[in-house]
Amino acid sequence: SVLIDMSSISPLASREISVELARKGIDMLDAPVSGGEPKAIEGTIAVMVGGKKEVFDAHYDIMMAMAGSVVYVGEIGAGNTAKLCNQIVVALNIAAVSEAMVLARKADVSPERVYQAIRGGLAGSTVMDTKAPMMMERNFDAGFRIDLHIKDMDNVMETSHKVGAPLPLAAQVVEIMQAIKQDGCGVEDHSSIVKFYEKIANVEVRK
C-alpha cells in the first residue's frame, strides 16, 4: 500500500508520519502542490514529491493525471521542503510587487504602465503577472488565502529554526500577513498584502 499525501505540512511531520506508516508496511510520498485554485481546476498544478524513488516512479502517471508537472525532489520530507521554499518565494514576490506598485502610485506614475514596462525584464514573474492585475483591479477573491499562506509560513519558520537556517525576510513577511489578517483580510487572496503598504503610505493602488 502507498499513501500519497498532497497536503502542505511540515517536512518534519511528513517524516514522522512516514516512520509510523512503514511499521505497518505502507510506503508514503509527500506530494504538496502549487498553483492555487485556478491551476487545480485546470489540472495544471505543480507537484513536488519526496519519498522512495521507486515508489515515485510507480505512481508518477497517477499524479500527472492532475498536474502540469510532477518533480521528484528527494527522500521523504523533500516534497514539503520544496513547497516551503516555493511559499517563501511567492510571499516575498507579492510583497516586492506591492512595494513597487505603491511606490509608483505615490510618485504619481501609473501602476499599470509601470507594470507593463517592467514585466518583460528581469523583474517579470508569474507572481507579478498574476497578482499585479488583481491589486490594480481591487480583486482580492481568494486564489490562495492569506490564512493559508500564514499556515505555510509558520511551517517555514518552524522548519528553519529546527535546521538552523535564519530567514529574516520570510519572518518579516509573516508579520505583514498577520497585520493584514487583523484588518479582516484573512480570507482574501494573498495579493491583499498590498493593503499593508497602502495603509502605511496612505494611498490605494489602481490602474
Side-chain angles (χ1 to χ4, degrees), residues 6 22 36 65 85 89 109 127-128 135 142-143 148-149 154 175 178 186:
M6 305 191 80
C85 294
V89 173
V109 178
V127 171
M128 178 183 286
M135 295 173 187
L148 292 177
H149 210 145
D154 285 344
E175 295 306 307
Q178 288 287 2

Side-chain angles (χ1 to χ4, degrees), residues 149-169:
H149 210 145
I150 288 173
K151 182 266 293 181
D152 287 345
M153 294 304 290
D154 285 344
N155 284 334
V156 165
M157 300 315 300
E158 176 191 7
T159 303
S160 74
H161 293 160
K162 288 186 177 178
V163 302
L167 302 175
L169 294 180

Side-chain angles (χ1 to χ4, degrees), residues 100-101 113-124 128:
M101 295 296 98
R113 291 179 182 176
V114 168
Y115 163 61
Q116 293 297 340
I118 68 176
R119 65 188 295 259
L122 190 58
M128 178 183 286

